[in-house]
Amino acid sequence: MTPVELSRTVLRAVRRAVDDGELSVAVPARAVVTPPGPGGRGDYATNIALQLARPAGRPARQVAEILRSHLRDTAGVADVEITGPGFLNIHLEGSGATASLVREILQGAGGDASGRQGIILRTGINSGPAVDSSRDIDSNRDENGTDAGGSTDADRDTDPDGGTEADPEADVDVDLGADVDLGADLDRDANPAPHANPAPHANPTLVTATTPDTAPAPATAPRPTIPPYGHAPTLQGRVIPLRVPYEVRAEVVADSLVRIIATQGGRAEVDHVRPGERVDLRPVPPPEDPAPLGPDAARWALLYPAPHDRPRITADHLLQRESNPLFRVRYAHARARALGRNAVRLGFDAVPGDLADVTAADPLVRALAEYPNALTQAAAHRAPDRLARHLVAVADALLAFQHTVLPLGDEKPSAAHRARLALAAAAGTVLAGGLSLLGISAPDYL
């Protein structure tokens, strides 16, 4: 059961309680379900009882007791506990929670994410044709296997010292202590994520517009559209005005918010105002021009700090160091792609499943489950920095988990390795999608 499915389950429990006369409230349009915080238990928690307590005219814990009885009868729910003033902590059966979460993320990518990693995603349900795992799918390569930068598959899949991608560390081998400018190589190899939306206006240096794909539809019958993971109708039909001054940081923030608000079903309208007129966004401007950092690092420098904090425009954003959050996010994405390619060469693919044997998976699963809430909060508070900081949390969790994915030595690939690979692929999909919402490239090779 995914967070979206669980949210619907909670709303159905409220509706049953209302139909049975146990509660006299209007059923809300949405129930927020997140991983439990400090002091919480189970797989997910919701504050729906606190939300309904006042309109119901009852203590929150009493409302929680009513809802718990209905939630316990739901298939896939093992138990429900009440903590604090009335939080419902929900335990899901077996390993279904993690497998469903991973499946939802990868299916929301429309198959493109798993295809670009060179893996077959097997979910146990009919989700369309499998992706050919014998080769990487890269939109930047021509019919001869040469990419836009002039390198071939052989050039990029072979380590200068003779290693190949079958070696888990042969691909994406980066010295975290080296001082290297990432800009040119990353921009060359970048592949846009599948759900980036058009930007509202053009600053030729930092504000980039994405052209929708206008290729003719294939002759085959279309499959049902699955929204990208994290997209929700919280702002459905709403038009959000964004009046901004003629200032580079305000323009970059507004450019990202157009895409972030679209993930919640809303539409942002950007308008520039003159000095003295009312504005909706006025982030603290940078102390100097960020353009010399290059488009990706410059955007990160402007978006990562909170709007009330002055951004740092320094070369630190270009360093391939562990202390550089942008590098960690993009490096983690590249590692996820490399793990998929290496798994193909080792003869196994990704299948969402049980991860109870790997404690390092817990922080990554939690971070992925919280991604929809991070998007919702970023849109609601007009704060792309919330998304940027969450991407760092996902990247750090993936980098701690990555060493468990591939078999070591003479070890044979098992169901556990397939489940770990699926989780890493899901993390890569979330990182690529989040970076695209910020207008930053996510390279497959780094």
Side-chain angles (χ1 to χ4, degrees), residues 63-87:
V63 175
E65 287 286 356
I66 293 171
L67 297 179
R68 176 166 67 170
S69 64
H70 292 283
L71 286 170
R72 279 177 164 173
D73 297 335
T74 303
V77 175
D79 193 16
V80 181
E81 295 183 75
I82 300 174
T83 58
F87 293 102

Side-chain angles (χ1 to χ4, degrees), residues 105-165:
I105 294 172
L106 294 177
Q107 287 178 341
D112 292 341
S114 57
R116 286 174 59 206
Q117 294 173 79
I119 64 174
I120 298 175
L121 171 63
R122 294 180 179 168
T123 62
I125 63 174
N126 183 13
S127 58
V131 176
D132 181 5
S133 64
S134 63
R135 57 189 175 89
D136 286 328
I137 300 176
D138 190 335
S139 60
N140 285 340
R141 301 185 195 184
D142 63 20
E143 58 190 7
N144 297 318
T146 304
D147 66 11
S151 59
T152 63
D153 289 346
D155 295 332
R156 300 212 291 183
D157 289 353
T158 305
D159 186 90
D161 296 327
T164 68
E165 286 192 338

Side-chain angles (χ1 to χ4, degrees), residues 258-347:
V258 169
R259 289 184 284 269
I260 293 172
I261 289 172
T263 70
Q264 306 302 297
R267 180 168 62 89
E269 291 187 347
V270 180
D271 187 26
H272 290 82
V273 300
R274 299 183 182 280
E277 296 180 339
R278 186 172 69 88
V279 298
D280 300 305
L281 289 174
R282 194 187 293 276
V284 176
E288 57 187 289
D289 181 12
L293 295 178
D296 286 332
R299 289 183 68 93
W300 182 268
L302 299 176
L303 294 171
Y304 182 67
H308 57 267
D309 292 334
R310 187 173 297 278
R312 295 183 304 105
I313 309 301
T314 69
D316 291 346
H317 296 293
L318 301 174
L319 301 181
Q320 291 190 6
R321 282 185 176 175
E322 200 170 1
S323 59
N324 180 3
L326 173 59
F327 170 69
R328 296 207 306 275
V329 172
R330 301 173 87 186
Y331 178 66
H333 170 265
R335 281 300 303 153
R337 301 305 192 205
L339 289 170
R341 294 190 296 270
N342 291 334
V344 169
R345 287 159 174 76
L346 293 174

Side-chain angles (χ1 to χ4, degrees), residues 61-440:
R61 287 190 68 91
Q62 191 177 108
V63 175
E65 287 286 356
I66 293 171
L67 297 179
R68 176 166 67 170
S69 64
H70 292 283
L71 286 170
R72 279 177 164 173
D73 297 335
T74 303
V77 175
D79 193 16
V80 181
E81 295 183 75
I82 300 174
T83 58
F87 293 102
L88 288 164
N89 291 255
I90 303 169
H91 299 257
L92 300 180
E93 292 179 349
S95 61
T98 298
S100 295
L101 173 66
V102 171
R103 189 177 297 115
E104 180 184 2
I105 294 172
L106 294 177
Q107 287 178 341
D112 292 341
S114 57
R116 286 174 59 206
Q117 294 173 79
I119 64 174
I120 298 175
L121 171 63
R122 294 180 179 168
T123 62
I125 63 174
N126 183 13
S127 58
V131 176
D132 181 5
S133 64
S134 63
R135 57 189 175 89
D136 286 328
I137 300 176
D138 190 335
S139 60
N140 285 340
R141 301 185 195 184
D142 63 20
E143 58 190 7
N144 297 318
T146 304
D147 66 11
S151 59
T152 63
D153 289 346
D155 295 332
R156 300 212 291 183
D157 289 353
T158 305
D159 186 90
D161 296 327
T164 68
E165 286 192 338
D167 175 2
E169 300 302 328
D171 200 3
V172 199
D173 185 10
V174 179
D175 179 6
L176 292 180
D179 297 350
V180 181
D181 184 345
L182 300 181
D185 289 340
L186 294 184
D187 292 337
R188 180 194 67 199
D189 290 335
N191 289 304
H195 63 278
N197 294 323
H201 49 264
N203 176 314
T205 306
L206 301 178
V207 182
T208 58
T210 303
T211 303
D213 185 5
T214 56
T220 57
R223 289 185 293 166
T225 301
I226 300 176
Y229 178 64
H231 288 214
T234 57
L235 298 175
Q236 189 67 44
R238 290 184 57 186
V239 177
I240 311 297
L242 296 177
R243 291 177 287 269
V244 300
Y246 286 95
E247 189 274 318
V248 62
R249 189 182 185 196
E251 290 192 1
V252 169
V253 170
D255 176 63
S256 296
L257 283 175
V258 169
R259 289 184 284 269
I260 293 172
I261 289 172
T263 70
Q264 306 302 297
R267 180 168 62 89
E269 291 187 347
V270 180
D271 187 26
H272 290 82
V273 300
R274 299 183 182 280
E277 296 180 339
R278 186 172 69 88
V279 298
D280 300 305
L281 289 174
R282 194 187 293 276
V284 176
E288 57 187 289
D289 181 12
L293 295 178
D296 286 332
R299 289 183 68 93
W300 182 268
L302 299 176
L303 294 171
Y304 182 67
H308 57 267
D309 292 334
R310 187 173 297 278
R312 295 183 304 105
I313 309 301
T314 69
D316 291 346
H317 296 293
L318 301 174
L319 301 181
Q320 291 190 6
R321 282 185 176 175
E322 200 170 1
S323 59
N324 180 3
L326 173 59
F327 170 69
R328 296 207 306 275
V329 172
R330 301 173 87 186
Y331 178 66
H333 170 265
R335 281 300 303 153
R337 301 305 192 205
L339 289 170
R341 294 190 296 270
N342 291 334
V344 169
R345 287 159 174 76
L346 293 174
F348 73 100
D349 48 35
V351 182
D354 186 10
L355 290 162
D357 61 328
V358 184
T359 57
D362 294 342
L364 181 55
V365 171
R366 190 175 303 113
L368 294 178
E370 290 173 349
Y371 178 71
N373 187 56
L375 275 184
T376 299
Q377 294 300 314
H381 295 279
R382 318 292 187 260
D385 59 289
R386 296 190 179 211
L387 172 58
R389 289 197 298 271
H390 191 75
L391 294 180
V392 175
V394 173
D396 289 344
L398 174 57
L399 291 175
F401 168 77
Q402 61 164 329
H403 305 291
T404 69
V405 173
L406 299 180
L408 300 176
D410 296 331
E411 188 179 10
K412 299 297 183 183
S414 64
H417 292 109
R418 292 179 171 85
R420 297 170 200 168
L421 178 63
L423 179 60
T429 298
V430 165
L431 291 173
L435 284 171
S436 77
L437 292 174
L438 298 177
I440 298 173

